[in-house]
Amino acid sequence: MFRFILSLVALAATATAHCEIQHLREAADAYLETQKAGQVAISAFQARFDNKTWRGYYENSNKLNISTGILAKPLNVTHTRSLYDLSNCATYTEAIVNSTTDPYVIGAQLRFANHAINRVDSIVTKPGDWLFNITGYAYWVTQENWSEIPEAQRDTREVIRAAADAYCDLFNNPNVTVPWGTPCVRLEGGLYGNPGPNGTCAGGVPSGVPMTRRRYVIDETVGSVEVMLDFGKSKWPDTHQFRVEKGKIRYEHMAIMLCPRRRPLNETDPRASFPTIVIV
Ligand SMILES: *[C@@H]1O[C@H](CO)[C@@H](O)[C@H](O)[C@H]1NC(C)=O
Ligand SMILES: *[C@@H]1O[C@H](CO)[C@@H](O)[C@H](O)[C@H]1NC(C)=O
Ligand SMILES: *[C@@H]1O[C@H](CO)[C@@H](O)[C@H](O)[C@H]1NC(C)=O
Ligand SMILES: *[C@@H]1O[C@H](CO)[C@@H](O)[C@H](O)[C@H]1NC(C)=O
Ligand SMILES: *[C@@H]1O[C@H](CO)[C@@H](O)[C@H](O)[C@H]1NC(C)=O
Ligand SMILES: *[C@@H]1O[C@H](CO)[C@@H](O)[C@H](O)[C@H]1NC(C)=O
Ligand SMILES: *[C@@H]1O[C@H](CO)[C@@H](O)[C@H](O)[C@H]1NC(C)=O
Ligand SMILES: *[C@@H]1O[C@H](CO)[C@@H](O)[C@H](O)[C@H]1NC(C)=O
Ligand SMILES: *[C@@H]1O[C@H](CO)[C@@H](O)[C@H](O)[C@H]1NC(C)=O
């Protein structure tokens, strides 16, 4: 009897975790179309919300009325890439607005229940945010290889996630061994590391920076995991996206939002203790 109940529970868990790629793609597309149009109320996006289990719309860790957030502003999205997590029913979309007057880099997670969206979590960065440089960001993403990984060479979700966790743990524990790839390149705000064959991500990692409240989206087909988290003791809203090949980190995209304290630094500002990250 006990065994029977257990297998029923297992079946139920499988059933709720099941989601279809087509459905996730449509949801991410609806999100992007809404951002481009700046029309939330009449959008096919909001029509996909599960209002019963709704957990909120977040921008930079702030819970907002979706109608008053960035989605209400039409943006010319010039480049985009999405991850589809079939095991956890989630998507992550990176959207770049390469504009000379009003640029953005946005990362947004969508979470689902009952095949409908029940949480939106985004990091919205713009000029003034940490290392933000749209020219650099828009250029370097196009130079990287994020294509699908042939099935036989794919890493498991566990391996991909472990690589990201090792990286995030390293910021608070210098003894952690991170599976660095060779080469490995970081894109931070708009600053790029060495894209050559000797590029490394191992240098310039600060210490004493806990990375907490990690929320993952993992897509094995492209060897990628995106982790949304609170960066450091000040809990800056942050996103890190990794490309992992054969268990090793190949690319990393990092965006930290200093909001709501988007002001120039001075020595008594708590942000002045922000660790200096030197790209090598
Ligand atoms: C949830 O509420 C929104 C806004 O009222 C509505 O547009 C949408 O159709 C609702 N979603 C569902 C699945 O009923
Ligand atoms: C969200 O904002 C819109 C537009 O200002 C408003 O119509 C709506 O009532 C607000 N929703 C909530 C839950 O406050
Ligand atoms: C988007 O780009 C088009 C063509 O480059 C331009 O006409 C339009 O004003 C832009 N829209 C916004 C919201 O920046
Ligand atoms: C922004 O990035 C571009 C391309 O890498 C670079 O040429 C430019 O100097 C950077 N601007 C600043 C202010 O760092
Ligand atoms: C981004 O916009 C600038 C200014 O319009 C343009 O020179 C540059 O080529 C664009 N970058 C990409 C990667 O399209
Ligand atoms: C891009 O990455 C894929 C997966 O690792 C690989 O099969 C392909 O050869 C790479 N393409 C280039 C141009 O390096
Ligand atoms: C890292 O290793 C050193 C040397 O073994 C040890 O003294 C230190 O406590 C370790 N640090 C952490 C955070 O585990
Ligand atoms: C990479 O490192 C090797 C060994 O140190 C060196 O011989 C080679 O010139 C370097 N390549 C580049 C492009 O810097
Ligand atoms: C420096 O930052 C602190 C803390 O945010 C603030 O109280 C103070 O007014 C700032 N000083 C100046 C000169 O801007």
Side-chain angles (χ1 to χ4, degrees), residues 20-35:
E20 284 151 23
I21 183 74
Q22 186 56 25
H23 184 255
L24 295 185
R25 272 191 217 282
E26 284 168 10
D29 288 350
Y31 162 79
L32 277 169
E33 289 312 314
T34 299
Q35 184 61 81

Side-chain angles (χ1 to χ4, degrees), residues 53-75:
T53 64
W54 183 245
R55 293 189 291 147
Y57 172 80
Y58 292 83
E59 265 178 33
N60 305 323
S61 300
N62 298 314
K63 192 170 189 172
L64 298 184
N65 176 339
I66 192 167
S67 305
T68 62
I70 190 74
L71 280 168
K73 181 177 185 176
L75 296 179

Side-chain angles (χ1 to χ4, degrees), residues 43-269:
S43 70
F45 182 51
Q46 207 173 35
R48 292 171 173 275
F49 290 179
D50 181 7
N51 298 315
K52 280 200 207 90
T53 64
W54 183 245
R55 293 189 291 147
Y57 172 80
Y58 292 83
E59 265 178 33
N60 305 323
S61 300
N62 298 314
K63 192 170 189 172
L64 298 184
N65 176 339
I66 192 167
S67 305
T68 62
I70 190 74
L71 280 168
K73 181 177 185 176
L75 296 179
N76 275 338
V77 175
T78 50
H79 185 273
T80 181
R81 182 186 301 118
S82 292
L83 302 182
Y84 305 102
D85 189 329
L86 292 173
S87 302
N88 274 344
C89 293
T91 66
Y92 173 72
T93 298
E94 179 183 59
I96 300 171
V97 180
N98 181 27
S99 155
T100 49
T101 51
D102 196 18
Y104 289 91
V105 174
I106 299 172
Q109 293 186 345
L110 306 181
R111 303 229 169 243
F112 297 77
N114 312 319
H115 301 284
I117 298 163
N118 78 339
R119 183 183 166 106
V120 182
D121 212 340
S122 59
I123 306 288
V124 181
T125 61
K126 59 183 184 182
D129 286 324
W130 189 67
L131 296 177
F132 189 92
N133 175 354
I134 197 64
T135 316
Y137 205 98
Y139 174 74
W140 288 111
V141 292
T142 63
Q143 303 300 302
E144 298 178 341
N145 178 6
W146 285 75
S147 64
E148 203 169 299
I149 293 177
E151 215 158 336
Q153 292 164 29
R154 275 178 207 164
D155 288 314
T156 62
R157 317 174 44 81
E158 289 71 27
V159 165
I160 295 167
R161 177 175 159 161
D165 273 334
Y167 182 95
C168 293
D169 290 346
L170 181 67
F171 281 63
N172 204 31
N173 179 356
N175 299 339
V176 170
T177 302
V178 180
W180 302 118
T182 311
C184 175
V185 204
R186 279 201 205 122
L187 175 56
E188 306 183 297
L191 196 59
Y192 209 53
N194 171 7
N198 294 341
T200 170
C201 300
V205 175
S207 56
V209 181
M211 306 259 227
T212 53
R213 207 164 63 88
R214 299 178 195 174
R215 290 97 76 202
Y216 307 83
V217 174
I218 303 170
D219 187 337
E220 302 93 319
T221 63
V222 285
S224 186
V225 49
E226 182 267 342
V227 195
M228 219 166 256
L229 50 82
D230 292 342
F231 184 95
K233 296 185 176 97
S234 304
K235 301 190 183 305
W236 289 312
D238 182 19
T239 166
H240 292 253
Q241 185 179 5
F242 302 86
R243 160 89 162 187
V244 176
E245 292 175 8
K246 300 196 173 101
K248 305 241 196 287
I249 298 174
R250 183 71 182 76
Y251 299 119
E252 189 241 345
H253 290 182
M254 177 183 194
I256 298 181
M257 152 61 85
L258 300 181
C259 181
R261 294 164 295 175
R262 200 197 296 274
R263 287 179 281 107
L265 283 176
N266 75 47
E267 277 166 18
T268 56
D269 191 303

